[in-house]
Amino acid sequence: MKKVAGIILLAIGSMVLLVHFGRIFLLALMASLAFYGVKKLKHAHTRQEKNVSYLILGIAAICCLFIVPLLFALLISGTLLYFGWKLLDQPSSTSISGATISKHTFDNSFDADWKAFVEKNKHN
């Protein structure tokens, strides 16, 4: 049942991403304009160069206003994809007559000696 729920969550999350695929280019445009504007503002020496960089940063801010619904959709789809993947990634436990079989861990002498050494030096 967990695998079915995981597949459903993955499908819904990927559909949300595909619906907003075109706006991802606007996100890339906004990020590149903001990067270019900050870089140009940092290296501006004259008043005219600073005004051009402020104009570029203003265009990036306007693009950011249109991206807010996209960011919300990306947050939701990312969450759905994450939990869907986690549901698919969990190993299924095998059960025999209602009792689950657990994995056995085998401690060799080195591990036991190392744990004793760490505990001894932890208190010193």
Side-chain angles (χ1 to χ4, degrees), residues 28-49:
L29 175 70
M30 189 248 348
S32 62
L33 279 175
F35 177 75
Y36 181 70
V38 168
K39 185 178 174 185
K40 192 163 182 74
L41 183 63
K42 188 185 289 187
H43 298 294
H45 297 291
T46 64
R47 177 89 174 154
Q48 184 180 7
E49 289 175 347

Side-chain angles (χ1 to χ4, degrees), residues 66-108:
F66 293 112
I67 291 178
V68 171
L70 170 70
L71 295 176
F72 184 69
L74 287 177
L75 177 72
I76 290 173
S77 65
T79 304
L80 290 174
L81 289 172
Y82 174 76
F83 286 118
W85 184 259
K86 284 295 182 183
L87 284 176
L88 286 178
D89 196 33
Q90 289 180 352
S92 60
S93 62
T94 57
S95 61
I96 299 174
S97 69
T100 60
I101 299 173
S102 62
K103 295 180 180 178
H104 296 286
T105 58
F106 298 102
D107 284 334
N108 58 16

